[in-house]
Structure formats: structure tokens, C-alpha cells
């Protein structure tokens, strides 16, 4: 998995050395739109187009992103250990400091915790640290028409272009967020989120599927498969996604691999 905006770099510099017959680009529903928007901002920041309004005017946001992407953050274990310790201290002290507060409008959501109904009768709290609030921010901005899913276009177009030159089969693998997969078994603390996030998921899936077809890319959507599988993975030690960081667990990765396996076997004969 590579961020969509970096797929050309990853394939060109690493993938093509292996002379692949199939290359799979996984797109994660939760944060890849955010990352694609950031890449798009870098391309258009010098223009005056309407899309340039995507860039935030929030100074804390810019500083936060600058530090996170800086040479020090990429190169220093000590620096990352310090920032992680600061984050844990914030959580332990119960001080929910929202770096996006300066750019938020009335109605933006700030509670992304939800509880999963466990298969053994117990409840499992997901996202206790209340992370990934930017997923809610981008879902809201998309709902308001302040973001465009066209932010994905360049990555998909570049992917198809490289595939044509290198003669491999390009595949986009859509991976939904944990809340999408477990939507039939969970309760959000903020009851406004189910509709917002369902629309966010449906919009991205539909758009990426259509664009993939336009560029001649095979599209594989794991959403329905994982949603059906979710009922079997609802105990604390048997989940498709970690309840802490919301990433896929080993069970989740294995399930997706099994789902993709028939396609790979057919195309690699």
C-alpha cells in the first residue's frame, strides 16, 4: 500500500524492478482522500483556480503538517519518540487539543469514538484516543461541496499510464474504514455520524470505480465482502481492525488476501 499520490514513485523506483504482471494499488477510505487533497494542493497552490481553495488557512494546521513532513520527522527516532510521548501525555491528561480548531466551521464534528457490539455480549470501544478527526472534516467538506473527489484523478491516470508502458495489469483495491465494515454492529457517540460517513464511503467508492473504468483499471471493492465477514469477527482478540489505531489486523489482511486470491490466480497463469 502506498498513498495514491506516491504510486508513480513507488512503482517506477521499486515495482518495475521485479517486472510485475499485476500491480495492486490499495485505496483506503479513511485517509487517502486527505492525502490526495494535500498532493493536489501542492500542484495548484500557485494558481488562482477555484480548487486552490482546498488549501487550509489554518496556521496551526500548516505548522503541524510542516513538522510532520519535515526532514527531522522523517529521520529522527528521538524526535518521533518525543512527539509520541507528547501525544500520550495529552491523552492521559484528557486534554483533547484539536489542531484543526482554527479552520473548523460550526457543525464540524469532534467526537469519532464508537462502540462495537461484541459477539460474546461485551462492548468494544473503538478509537478511544479520538484520532483521525480529519476524516470527519473531509467527509463534511465533501458533503458541503468544498472538496472534490477529482483529487484522486492524477494518481489513477499516472497508474494507468505506467501500466500501459510497463505492460502490467493495474488493479485498484478499495479498502473501507472500520466503521463502514462494522456499521451493522456499532453505535457512534455522536449520532450524526452514521449518515455522514455512509455518504462519504458511497461517494468515494462510486467515484473511484467509475474513474478506474475510465482509465482501464480493474476495480476490486472489498466493502461488501468485509461487511458480511464482520459478524464473525467481533471479539476483542478476533477483529478485522484494531480498536485502537483502526488499521487492519492480521485477520483483516488475511481476509483481503483470500478475497483477491482468485483474481491473482487467474491473471498470473
Amino acid at each position: 500500500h502506498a498513498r495514491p499520490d506516491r504510486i508513480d514513485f513507488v512503482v517506477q523506483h521499486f515495482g518495475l524492478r521485479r517486472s510485475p504482471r499485476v500491480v495492486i494499488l490499495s485505496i483506503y477510505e479513511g485517509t487517502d482522500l486527505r492525502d490526495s487533497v494535500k498532493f493536489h494542493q501542492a500542484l495548484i497552490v500557485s494558481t488562482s483556480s477555484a480548487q486552490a481553495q482546498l488549501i487550509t488557512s489554518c496556521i496551526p494546521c500548516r505548522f503541524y503538517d510542516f513538522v510532520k513532513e519535515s526532514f527531522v520527522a522523517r529521520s529522527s527516532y528521538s524526535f518521533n519518540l518525543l512527539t509520541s510521548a507528547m501525544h500520550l501525555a495529552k491523552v492521559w491528561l484528557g486534554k483533547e487539543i484539536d489542531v484543526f480548531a482554527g479552520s473548523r466551521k460550526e457543525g464540524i464534528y469532534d467526537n469519532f469514538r464508537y462502540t462495537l457490539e461484541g459477539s460474546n455480549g461485551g462492548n468494544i470501544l473503538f478509537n478511544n484516543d479520538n484520532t483521525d478527526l480529519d476524516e470527519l472534516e473531509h467527509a463534511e467538506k465533501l458533503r458541503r461541496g468544498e472538496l472534490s473527489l477529482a483529487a484522486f484523478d492524477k494518481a489513477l491516470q499516472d497508474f494507468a499510464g505506467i501500466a500501459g508502458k510497463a505492460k502490467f495489469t493495474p488493479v485498484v483495491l478499495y479498502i473501507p474504514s472500520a466503521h463502514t465494515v462494522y456499521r451493522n454492529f456499532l453505535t457512534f457517540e455522536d449520532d450524526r455520524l452514521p449518515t455522514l460517513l455512509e455518504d462519504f464511503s458511497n461517494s468515494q467508492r462510486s467515484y473511484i470505480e467509475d474513474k478506474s473504468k475510465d482509465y482501464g483499471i480493474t476495480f476490486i471493492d472489498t466493502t461488501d465482502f468485509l461487511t458480511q465477514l464482520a459478524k464473525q469477527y467481533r471479539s476483542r482478540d478476533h477483529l478485522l481492525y484494531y480498536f485502537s489505531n483502526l488499521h487492519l489486523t492480521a485477520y483483516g489482511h488475511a481476509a483481503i488476501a483470500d478475497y483477491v486470491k482468485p483474481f491473482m490466480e487467474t491473471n498470473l497463469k
Side-chain angles (χ1 to χ4, degrees):
H1 173 72
R3 280 169 33 176
D5 54 278
R6 294 177 177 173
I7 188 62
D8 58 336
F9 176 84
V10 173
V11 174
Q12 292 274 24
H13 291 270
F14 299 99
L16 295 187
R17 297 177 183 177
R18 303 291 183 179
S19 301
R21 284 179 283 168
V22 177
V23 175
I24 298 177
L25 166 62
S26 60
I27 293 183
Y28 173 61
E29 176 177 282
T31 54
D32 278 353
L33 175 60
R34 174 201 67 191
D35 294 336
S36 295
V37 166
K38 286 183 178 180
F39 176 72
H40 193 63
Q41 289 169 355
L43 293 179
I44 65 174
V45 69
S46 62
T47 73
S48 59
S49 68
Q51 287 177 307
Q53 298 304 313
L54 293 172
I55 195 162
T56 178
S57 60
C58 170
I59 293 177
C61 294
R62 292 182 181 179
F63 179 74
Y64 173 77
D65 287 340
F66 171 76
V67 172
K68 187 173 68 173
E69 300 292 340
S70 68
F71 173 79
V72 176
R74 296 195 305 269
S75 308
S76 171
Y77 288 113
S78 298
F79 178 84
N80 283 283
L81 178 62
L82 176 61
T83 55
S84 296
M86 292 173 64
H87 170 72
L88 288 174
K90 180 200 75 174
V91 173
W92 289 337
L93 292 172
K95 296 180 179 179
E96 297 295 341
I97 303 171
D98 185 3
V99 298
F100 290 104
S103 67
R104 294 204 166 184
K105 300 178 181 179
E106 182 180 357
I108 295 290
Y109 315 92
D110 58 6
N111 186 345
F112 199 6
R113 299 181 181 90
Y114 47 94
T115 300
L116 174 68
E117 177 187 342
S119 56
N120 56 4
N123 292 330
I124 304 171
L125 178 62
F126 269 64
N127 197 21
N128 184 51
D129 290 349
N130 203 29
T131 59
D132 288 344
L133 289 172
D134 48 359
E135 182 174 348
L136 303 183
E137 181 176 7
H138 283 74
E140 174 71 6
K141 286 184 176 180
L142 184 65
R143 183 184 69 83
R144 296 184 179 193
E146 298 172 8
L147 285 183
S148 172
L149 293 172
F152 285 118
D153 288 4
K154 186 178 188 309
L156 295 174
Q157 186 176 20
D158 289 347
F159 187 36
I162 298 171
K165 293 178 181 178
K167 307 300 181 184
F168 64 75
T169 299
V171 179
V172 164
L173 181 70
Y174 189 89
I175 301 176
S177 296
H179 56 77
T180 297
V181 170
Y182 283 115
R183 63 180 179 268
N184 296 324
F185 305 99
L186 61 80
T187 303
F188 285 97
E189 293 186 4
D190 186 336
D191 60 11
R192 299 172 297 171
L193 296 186
T195 299
L196 176 77
L197 292 173
E198 184 176 355
D199 290 345
F200 189 53
S201 174
N202 291 338
S203 297
Q204 289 188 85
R205 281 193 288 150
S206 177
Y207 185 88
I208 295 170
E209 180 176 12
D210 289 344
K211 280 296 176 180
S212 295
K213 290 178 180 177
D214 289 345
Y215 292 124
I217 300 172
T218 299
F219 180 78
I220 300 177
D221 185 2
T222 64
T223 303
D224 291 340
F225 167 72
L226 291 176
T227 301
Q228 289 295 319
L229 200 62
K231 64 183 70 174
Q232 304 171 32
Y233 289 85
R234 291 188 293 122
S235 61
R236 184 172 290 269
D237 58 351
H238 203 234
L239 295 166
L240 295 172
Y241 294 77
Y242 290 107
F243 56 81
S244 54
N245 61 25
L246 310 180
H247 293 175
L248 287 165
T249 64
Y251 296 114
H253 282 291
I256 290 175
D258 286 341
Y259 187 67
V260 175
K261 184 179 178 181
F263 172 85
M264 296 297 290
E265 290 176 339
T266 299
N267 284 269
L268 292 179
K269 285 183 179 179

